[in-house]
Amino acid sequence: MSDMNQQMTAKYKNNFLKEIEEQAEMGDWVKMCMQCGVCSGSCPTNFHSGWDHPPQELFMLIRAGKRDEVLNSNSMWNCVSCYNCYVRCPRKIPITHIMHGIAEYAYRIGRAPKSQPTLHLSQTFWNNATKTGRVNEVKLTQTLYFKDGIASGIKKAMAMQDVALGLVKAKRLNPLEAVGISHKCKDIKGIHAMLDKARELEAKRKGRTA
Amino acid sequence: MAEMKTAAYICKGCELGARLDTATLVKTATKDGKMNLVREHDFLCSTDGVAMIRNDIDNEGVTHIAICACSRRAKTEAFNFTTVAMSRGNLREGVIWIRPDTDAARETTQEMAEDYVRMACAEVKAMQVPAGNQNTGTSKTLLVVGGGMSGMTAALEASKTGYKVVLIEKTGSLGGMAGKLWKRIPNREPFKAPMDSGVADLAAQIDADANIKVYLNAVIAKTAGAPGRFKVDIAVESGPTVTEDIGAIIQATGFTPYDMNKLPNLGGGQANVVDQLGLEAMAKAANGGPIKRADGKEVKSVVFVQCAGQRDATKEHLEYCSGHCCATSVKQAMYFKDANPDVDTVVLYTDLRMPGNNEDFYRAAQNKGVIFSKGEVSNVSASGNGCTVKFKDLILNEETSADADLVVLATGMVPTTGPDLDQLNEANRAAEGGDEGAKEQVIQMMSKSVLNLDYRQGPDVPQFKHGFNDSHFICFPYETRRTAIYAAGPVRRPMDIAQATEDATGAAMKAIQAMENAGLGKAAHPRSGDLSFPTARLEGCTQCKRCTVECPFGAIDEDERRFPLFNESRCRRCGTCMGACPVRVISFENYSVNTVGAQIKAVDIPDEFSEKPRVLILACENDAYPALDMAGMNHNEYDPFVRVIPVRCLGSVNTIWITDALNSGYDGVMLMGCKHGEQYQCHFVKGSELGRYRMSKIYDTLKGMNLEEERLMDLEVAITDIDTLPKKINDYAARIVEMGMSPFKGL
């Protein structure tokens, strides 16, 4: 993976803005930012400590070519996808999407932080959903609950058992999913072929080997 | 003139009849007003009422009429009697609408009405019908000074309406600054790319226009005369001086860019650093291809430094924003991007200002890959084969730098208005005192003159701030302080081509109005159509020169014996000369020391023990009096002891009115005029300031009379003060009551 990081560094030299424009989803919008700061002011998470850079600043860093600072930033990982910034942006820049685009790109070139909870959730969800074409909710919950060990997993599960029972009673949750008996897509092969094709197209568009 | 026959008309409409005892008002007009003829009417402004008055004028020989009905600002079309002297008693907006309809208030309301009837009668008897200015000129040729975008537009617009135009251009070709541009900022959809400036097209239209006479390589040697009859000497390089008869003048002399050599820390004067005009020359040379530096190297990276020597808080350079430079830099960055998208173009700005549709233009530049960084540039220095720009990134809050092949400085606009008249006057005084240095300075300053006016107050239009010409910025932007001389384009305030074009059209329209008015002997704005003009009884004049110095419009010259020489066509009829005159020899036929003085004397002053004080209000007719009228329309009540007299401007208030009023037993005098100073709102620019300055001298007189200073109150009123004004009047009236009655009553 770090090979790809070097590969990209070599390809774009100092033009990090171009790198983001071509490689990160919706990255070509970064240049349209007019630095008004409405996104930063609107972000609900920005009121917590621990944000490295508000979106406006992140975009400025990209334009200033500060590659390491951007890729090491935790900001795109902290985005909760509330879409407040996107809605309020006077330039209609898809800020939420760009944040995820940058995060995804950082992950792709091996620059994602280790044991990042957002990354863990995304990976778990993606693997779960793409396996059968539908989300197996029990297994998804299990994986997330037991991420930090058995003791903490049981504790979390016990705390939520009333909710779970309620969902089962209302036929919103099928306990049999735990052992793999769950609804699936009729054409799993077709889904996988579709995903492969999408991957191929993306790689082609972004000019990289899949 | 035939014998004076006076008539007063009391209206009973609009509830006047119900609220007031009009029979008594008739008696007042007859006994106190001593009017020859007094009539009541149920509805004076109706066809029947107007016909009654018209009949008296035509068949009874009435020459002076006092109409006691509504405000002088109302029903002006019905009461339009131009052949007689006319005054208006304001019984509606000034009395019944500002008083409660109660038994307790009836007596004071009636007294108020009676006073206004007395005042109207007294005023009209001191008035005459203006005969009109005989000293008119009928030239209808417009002179446009400056053949740039504004000048060419003004010339063509005037020509299209059928007027002859003389266009003077200092250089050898038309086009001005706009002619030096490669392309201009777009002014139409989709606002995405620079477009042709259109200069060549305008110049061709002018060449083909038979109405427009163009003098190239020409300057004005002398402008003499007055609106409608200017005599302008045009000095053509290596040719004879030509004299043209001119009706009105548009000054569209534009600007020069701020000298970048004054900005050495930003690289001004270095190689590879140009100002915006310098880049336009490079772009013109490139003709759409890659832009090359002076040394022939193709530019691969360029940094635009915005606000170079502009918006300067230290006041060392320009303090103002020139308005166009942000969009100009965007346009110039596009020159590079359009020729070669791989050129790095960075715009360093602190605030990007994109008025109007330029916001779309900015977006288009971002789309083309122009980088915009919010940063403050501290230094530009030569490095390697280019420049290093040091700046503070204001978003990332760090000192950083950028390298570039070329740096473009966005320097501001310096207006071409000629010398500052105040400085010139000072130098002139010193030169008269024999100072050799000052003599040199005068010659040097005069060489910069644009109009070379043969006016007592100096050769050019007065300036306001930063060298831009003085005008009433909000209400009359094209006016200068010289009648029938209008300013258009960046000489008035910083602007871009789109605004300059609009400006030129507006100024052309105003200039045409001024020429037509001058031909009819009428005033230009804000008293447009006024036929009166000031005259002086020279036998009483002491040659103190206050009127010639203080006239805000430079209308008064001095003759060889140093008596004032009025130029009626240049006059705006504000009356500042009348207020200035210490011996009170200056007057208008329908507005004079007597017309106001008679009104002040006509008010009935109750004795000391009546508990009925009297407060005189002298209200500016431009803002304060309409505000009072509107307060009336809204039925905002105020004190019944005030008596309001409208004045043309605070500048026309002669101090004698105030001392007379206080001497004759008024308990207080209130002056209401427009805001003065840097943010002035005075319709005659300097009137309210001069008026207030004079009033400040009265306080000594008050001390001498043993009166409290608070007996004279000065209030700045805007036309919007409709709700607050009544409260201020009431507060002052309450203070007067607290102070006690004036000791001068009944003396």
Side-chain angles (χ1 to χ4, degrees):
Chain A
M1 275 302 207
S2 65
D3 284 353
M4 193 157 167
N5 186 19
Q6 279 163 15
Q7 196 189 315
M8 288 302 168
T9 319
K11 184 174 177 188
Y12 291 104
K13 296 197 183 69
N14 290 325
N15 201 339
F16 185 48
L17 173 62
K18 200 168 178 200
E19 183 177 344
I20 289 292
E21 282 179 349
E22 291 182 10
Q23 296 297 331
E25 283 304 314
M26 304 274 180
D28 55 340
W29 276 94
V30 170
K31 61 176 184 255
M32 298 308 290
C33 169
M34 61 175 190
Q35 297 295 336
C36 66
V38 166
C39 49
S40 315
S42 311
C43 182
T45 66
N46 195 24
F47 299 109
H48 296 285
S49 57
W51 262 84
D52 287 344
H53 308 286
Q56 167 206 16
E57 218 170 284
L58 204 64
F59 295 173
M60 201 62 226
L61 284 168
I62 294 172
R63 295 191 329 202
K66 310 222 170 198
R67 191 171 192 270
D68 286 338
E69 246 177 276
V70 173
L71 293 175
N72 292 342
S73 172
N74 67 6
S75 302
M76 54 275 197
W77 299 105
N78 282 347
C79 171
V80 297
S81 309
C82 71
Y83 284 86
N84 218 8
C85 51
Y86 189 176
V87 168
R88 288 193 179 174
C89 176
R91 278 291 176 82
K92 299 192 169 67
I93 296 170
I95 299 162
T96 317
H97 295 173
I98 300 172
M99 296 301 269
H100 295 320
I102 299 169
E104 189 263 355
Y105 180 62
Y107 162 73
R108 189 119 0 186
I109 60 171
R111 297 291 301 259
K114 301 277 168 289
S115 60
Q116 216 294 326
T118 313
L119 176 59
H120 178 258
L121 168 68
S122 309
Q123 276 176 323
T124 310
F125 187 91
W126 177 256
N127 292 339
N128 183 310
T130 53
K131 200 170 165 190
T132 63
R134 291 202 179 199
V135 175
N136 181 328
E137 282 165 332
V138 177
K139 278 204 169 163
L140 180 67
T141 321
Q142 270 173 0
T143 322
L144 293 176
Y145 278 12
F146 290 94
K147 162 170 96 79
D148 303 323
I150 297 189
S152 104
I154 291 174
K155 216 172 153 189
K156 283 181 204 157
M158 295 302 281
M160 293 297 284
Q161 68 174 326
D162 286 351
V163 177
L165 284 173
L167 284 168
V168 172
K169 263 189 208 160
K171 298 208 165 111
R172 289 287 169 201
L173 195 71
N174 180 4
L176 289 177
E177 283 189 345
V179 290
I181 302 170
S182 66
H183 46 220
K184 296 172 177 134
C185 267
K186 280 176 196 157
D187 181 12
I188 297 176
K189 267 191 192 159
I191 293 275
H192 287 161
M194 204 166 77
L195 291 171
D196 284 344
K197 186 70 187 172
R199 222 171 272 132
E200 188 194 317
L201 287 174
E202 187 191 354
K204 199 173 157 197
R205 173 162 60 89
K206 295 184 176 172
R208 60 195 185 202
T209 46
Chain B
M1 201 174 177
E3 207 176 303
M4 180 160 101
K5 183 166 182 188
T6 58
Y9 300 91
I10 316 281
C11 179
K12 285 159 72 175
C14 295
E15 283 207 329
L16 284 168
R19 294 283 305 278
L20 300 171
D21 177 0
T22 47
T24 311
L25 294 181
V26 170
K27 268 184 226 155
T28 308
T30 318
K31 253 182 78 190
D32 299 345
K34 298 195 172 59
M35 301 304 265
N36 304 129
L37 185 72
V38 182
R39 293 190 201 275
E40 276 181 281
H41 196 278
D42 285 335
F43 188 2
L44 196 60
C45 60
S46 66
T47 323
D48 181 49
V50 172
M52 174 182 85
I53 301 171
R54 172 64 55 203
N55 183 53
D56 287 347
I57 294 169
D58 293 345
N59 303 320
E60 302 286 330
V62 168
T63 57
H64 289 65
I65 59 173
I67 292 175
C68 303
C70 41
S71 161
R72 61 169 62 189
R73 298 176 50 82
K75 301 288 172 198
T76 47
E77 278 166 25
F79 302 132
N80 181 21
F81 305 108
T82 50
T83 53
V84 296
M86 177 173 71
S87 68
R88 303 275 300 262
N90 186 359
L91 303 183
R92 193 178 69 169
E93 288 87 343
V95 182
I96 62 162
W97 280 359
I98 53 106
R99 296 303 304 150
D101 187 8
T102 58
D103 285 338
R106 190 141 299 142
E107 184 189 325
T108 51
T109 307
Q110 177 71 21
E111 282 173 7
M112 215 175 179
E114 285 170 20
D115 271 347
Y116 279 123
V117 170
R118 287 187 198 105
M119 285 155 79
C121 298
E123 183 188 8
V124 78
K125 283 190 285 183
M127 286 167 82
Q128 274 165 12
V129 191
N133 171 19
Q134 304 303 314
N135 202 4
T136 58
T138 52
S139 171
K140 296 287 186 319
T141 305
L142 177 67
L143 173 70
V144 177
V145 190
M149 202 48 137
S150 322
M152 290 195 293
T153 309
L156 281 170
E157 293 294 336
S159 162
K160 278 183 206 162
T161 50
Y163 288 84
K164 294 254 182 244
V165 178
V166 172
L167 178 62
I168 302 184
E169 165 59 37
K170 192 167 62 177
T171 69
S173 63
L174 294 175
M177 285 294 168
K180 296 182 180 171
L181 306 183
W182 165 236
K183 296 243 160 107
R184 62 170 284 184
I185 299 160
N187 71 339
R188 61 176 76 106
E189 279 289 322
F191 301 101
K192 281 192 176 150
M195 53 179 251
D196 185 72
S197 68
V199 166
D201 179 45
L202 282 181
Q205 283 184 49
I206 286 178
D207 280 342
D209 197 321
N211 275 340
I212 306 177
K213 196 196 277 183
V214 181
Y215 289 96
L216 294 175
N217 295 313
V219 291
I220 296 180
K222 187 178 156 190
T223 305
R229 51 179 177 88
F230 286 116
K231 290 259 184 231
V232 181
D233 293 349
I234 300 165
V236 185
E237 202 180 85
S238 62
T241 296
V242 190
T243 303
E244 293 274 1
D245 289 314
I246 297 295
I249 300 172
I250 290 179
Q251 183 175 351
T253 41
F255 73 102
T256 49
Y258 187 69
D259 183 6
M260 67 169 173
N261 291 318
K262 291 181 186 163
L263 305 163
N265 61 321
L266 296 182
Q270 281 177 32
N272 308 326
V273 177
V274 294
D275 60 8
Q276 291 185 322
L277 214 53
L279 188 85
E280 292 293 341
M282 287 180 173
K284 258 195 162 174
N287 198 20
I291 293 173
K292 290 183 181 130
R293 289 195 319 212
D295 62 4
K297 183 190 179 301
E298 188 181 328
V299 178
K300 291 285 193 191
S301 56
V302 56
V303 170
F304 293 89
V305 178
Q306 297 309 112
C307 302
Q310 298 195 64
R311 301 171 67 205
D312 183 13
T314 67
K315 301 192 174 186
E316 194 187 334
H317 305 294
L318 304 181
E319 286 171 63
Y320 51 89
C321 163
S322 291
H324 76 95
C325 347
C326 284
T328 300
S329 286
V330 164
K331 176 190 74 172
Q332 297 185 335
M334 281 193 190
Y335 292 169
F336 289 97
K337 283 288 181 190
D338 288 347
N340 176 5
D342 288 334
V343 175
D344 278 333
T345 50
V346 178
V347 178
L348 295 176
Y349 66 94
T350 49
D351 305 278
L352 214 55
R353 294 181 171 176
M354 293 288 171
N357 286 303
N358 285 343
E359 196 66 30
D360 286 345
F361 193 44
Y362 168 33
R363 220 182 330 248
Q366 286 183 303
N367 241 326
K368 286 179 180 176
V370 179
I371 304 285
F372 292 87
S373 273
K374 198 171 165 77
E376 220 168 321
V377 178
S378 55
N379 185 271
V380 177
S381 56
S383 82
N385 190 18
C387 304
T388 298
V389 180
K390 278 196 192 140
F391 66 99
K392 183 182 183 183
D393 190 313
L394 294 173
I395 300 287
L396 304 178
N397 196 23
E398 60 180 20
E399 293 295 337
T400 179
S401 69
D403 291 322
D405 292 342
L406 184 72
V407 172
V408 183
L409 301 180
T411 56
M413 291 175 149
V414 180
T416 317
T417 31
D420 179 79
L421 296 189
D422 294 334
Q423 286 173 15
L424 181 65
N425 277 339
E426 209 163 295
N428 258 328
R429 260 197 300 277
E432 271 169 37
D435 184 337
E436 288 301 319
K439 274 181 194 166
E440 271 302 302
Q441 206 187 344
V442 169
I443 293 170
Q444 201 263 334
M445 282 172 117
M446 287 302 289
S447 72
K448 284 199 292 183
S449 172
V450 177
L451 298 174
N452 277 305
L453 290 168
D454 187 22
Y455 282 25
R456 185 231 182 276
Q457 288 192 11
D460 282 282
V461 292
Q463 297 166 9
F464 183 46
K465 254 200 257 182
H466 314 308
F468 293 97
N469 82 283
D470 196 359
S471 72
H472 193 287
F473 196 79
I474 300 166
C475 302
F476 322 106
Y478 311 120
E479 300 284 345
T480 68
R481 278 173 53 194
R482 297 293 176 257
T483 304
I485 301 177
Y486 294 84
V491 78
R492 193 168 75 67
R493 66 169 176 78
M495 61 177 74
D496 63 11
I497 290 182
Q499 290 168 319
T501 309
E502 196 180 294
D503 236 49
T505 313
M509 191 181 76
K510 293 303 292 180
I512 290 168
Q513 279 180 0
M515 286 192 285
E516 292 296 342
N517 268 333
L520 298 169
K522 289 179 175 174
H525 99 102
R527 293 189 57 81
S528 24
D530 189 354
L531 283 167
S532 70
F533 55 88
T535 49
R537 267 189 310 110
L538 291 186
E539 58 273 27
C541 173
T542 58
Q543 294 139 300
C544 74
K545 297 203 278 189
R546 268 171 67 180
C547 54
T548 60
V549 171
E550 289 190 0
C551 173
F553 305 101
I556 314 170
D557 291 331
E558 280 157 24
D559 67 12
E560 54 283 359
R561 291 169 301 154
R562 303 212 150 182
F563 282 120
L565 195 64
F566 289 88
N567 288 277
E568 295 79 8
S569 310
R570 292 188 208 159
C571 173
R572 304 267 179 100
R573 282 72 165 170
C574 58
T576 299
C577 49
M578 180 174 124
C581 185
V583 285
R584 301 179 292 282
V585 296
I586 301 174
S587 59
F588 296 79
E589 286 145 315
N590 54 5
Y591 181 63
S592 64
V593 172
N594 277 344
T595 59
V596 175
Q599 290 182 73
I600 293 173
K601 289 193 191 84
V603 170
D604 176 49
I605 308 278
D607 67 32
E608 226 173 319
F609 312 104
S610 62
E611 292 180 4
K612 284 173 180 171
R614 286 289 179 261
V615 175
L616 174 69
I617 295 182
L618 295 170
C620 160
E621 68 177 10
N622 294 294
D623 270 18
Y625 200 69
L628 285 169
D629 269 2
M630 282 190 277
M633 289 173 205
N634 290 353
H635 293 258
N636 293 339
E637 290 166 13
Y638 57 76
D639 195 86
F641 301 126
V642 300
R643 301 292 179 260
V644 184
I645 300 177
V647 293
R648 288 188 179 181
C649 176
L650 268 200
S652 72
V653 172
N654 198 298
T655 49
I656 190 77
W657 294 340
I658 293 159
T659 42
D660 270 3
L662 291 171
N663 264 324
S664 58
Y666 282 87
D667 302 278
V669 177
M670 219 178 175
L671 298 169
M672 291 183 181
C674 303
K675 201 178 173 67
H676 71 289
E678 280 225 326
Q679 309 277 321
Y680 74 85
Q681 284 289 311
C682 177
H683 292 57
F684 297 105
V685 187
K686 288 280 166 203
S688 70
E689 188 179 317
L690 288 166
R692 290 202 163 93
Y693 177 74
R694 289 179 207 138
M695 292 317 132
S696 69
K697 306 283 178 201
I698 288 196
Y699 292 110
D700 285 340
T701 317
L702 290 184
K703 227 179 269 169
M705 290 165 76
N706 236 343
L707 280 175
E708 299 85 342
E709 277 192 6
E710 290 85 353
R711 298 268 179 204
L712 176 60
M713 159 92 172
D714 169 23
L715 195 62
E716 280 193 343
V717 178
I719 198 157
T720 46
D721 292 346
I722 302 159
D723 293 323
T724 51
L725 200 48
K727 190 183 171 307
K728 285 178 185 160
I729 293 174
N730 293 341
D731 287 351
Y732 184 59
R735 208 160 356 130
I736 291 290
V737 170
E738 238 170 73
M739 233 184 290
M741 303 290 251
S742 161
F744 282 87
K745 286 182 194 288
L747 292 179

